[in-house]
Amino acid sequence: VCQPFPFRRSVNTPTAGVCGMQATAAIEALLSRLAACVDDVVERARSGAELREGEAEGMCAALEELLAHRFKRRQFLLFSVHPWSLAEHAEALSSAAAVRIGVARQTGSTDSARLRAWLYLLLNRRELAAEVDALLTPELCSLMYTRGAALLGSAERDRLVRTLKPLAALRFRLGASAGLCLPEQPSGSLEDARLSAAACAADVPTADAALAAAAAAAVARA
C-alpha cells in the first residue's frame, strides 16, 4: 500500500518515489495490455472477415480496465457510479453521439453492459478513437478521476487514442442480436434510427434479415 504511516515512517514503508514508480508501472501495464490486444485484433482481421464478439472481447476488457483506473466511483460522497457515467458525457458531443448513448442505455441492463454496448457501437461505426479523443478532455478527466489515474495525463490520453486508431480500418459486427449494427443517420434522431432499421430489414439479403429485424425491435424500445 502506497500510504506512509501518519506518525512514524516504517523501514518497510514505500517512499514517495517508490509510490510514483509503482503508479507509473501500473499505467504502463494497462496501456501495454491494450496495445497488445489491439495488435491481436488487427492480426485477426487480416483475413478480411468481419470481427465478432469473440475477437474483440480481450480488447474491450482491456479498454474498460483502463477507463476504470482510479475512476471516482463515489461522486460528491453521495452515490456510487460506474465508468459508464463517463461515457454518458458523449451525449453532448454530437447528435450522432447522443443516439449511440441512447441505444446503449436502452440495450444494457447494467452499467457494465451499457458501457460495452457503447464500445460495440463505436467499433461498428469505426469511430472509437475519434469519439474517445473528443470525450476525454482534461476538464472531464479531472472531474471523473482521482490522482494518479492513467487518463489524467495528456501523454497517456494521446497514447490511448493512437493505440485505438488502427481499429478504424477494421470491419466489426458486434452486438448484432441486440441491434447494435444499425446504420446511423446524420440527423441523429431515434426516429431516424427506427426508419433505418426498417429499411435495413427490407434491403439486406435474406441471410441478414433476422439480424436486421432484431435491430428494428431493439431500437423500437427506445
Side-chain angles (χ1 to χ4, degrees):
V1 179
C2 290
Q3 292 292 337
F5 191 77
F7 303 110
R8 181 182 62 190
R9 181 181 293 274
S10 167
V11 294
N12 295 322
T13 300
T15 64
V18 172
C19 288
M21 291 171 57
Q22 291 175 342
T24 300
I27 293 171
E28 177 61 30
L30 289 170
L31 289 167
S32 296
R33 182 192 169 201
L34 177 61
C37 290
V38 170
D39 288 344
D40 181 64
V41 169
V42 171
E43 184 63 29
R44 289 170 182 264
R46 290 187 183 280
S47 66
E50 289 182 324
L51 296 161
R52 304 297 179 107
E53 288 83 353
E55 290 86 2
E57 170 61 33
M59 179 185 67
C60 289
L63 179 54
E64 288 164 356
E65 186 177 4
L66 182 61
L67 293 174
H69 183 246
R70 292 188 178 272
F71 181 78
K72 290 181 182 177
R73 293 187 177 272
R74 185 164 293 280
Q75 298 285 337
F76 308 111
L77 302 177
L78 296 175
F79 51 89
S80 297
V81 295
H82 183 275
W84 160 247
S85 63
L86 170 70
E88 286 186 295
H89 284 267
E91 280 185 306
L93 297 178
S94 68
S95 58
V99 168
R100 284 190 287 268
I101 290 296
V103 172
R105 190 179 285 133
Q106 292 291 328
T107 300
S109 58
T110 65
D111 285 345
S112 295
R114 295 178 190 109
L115 179 60
R116 179 60 64 92
W118 179 68
L119 296 179
Y120 280 2
L121 285 162
L122 289 170
L123 287 166
N124 288 340
R125 294 292 302 170
R126 306 185 183 191
E127 296 180 9
L128 180 60
E131 189 131 322
V132 166
D133 188 23
L135 175 65
L136 296 180
T137 64
E139 295 77 15
L140 181 59
C141 289
S142 64
L143 176 67
M144 306 299 287
Y145 289 95
T146 62
R147 182 179 179 182
L151 296 180
L152 283 179
S154 60
E156 288 73 20
R157 292 195 301 273
D158 290 344
R159 181 175 169 185
L160 168 60
V161 173
R162 289 196 306 271
T163 298
L164 298 177
K165 279 186 176 180
L167 300 173
L170 308 184
R171 292 191 302 144
F172 290 91
R173 188 173 180 83
L174 307 172
S177 62
L180 301 182
C181 292
L182 294 171
E184 218 166 314
Q185 296 297 313
S187 65
S189 70
L190 286 174
E191 181 60 29
D192 289 330
R194 292 189 183 97
L195 293 174
S196 295
C200 183
D203 295 340
V204 296
T206 304
D208 289 334
L211 292 178
V219 179
R221 295 195 300 268

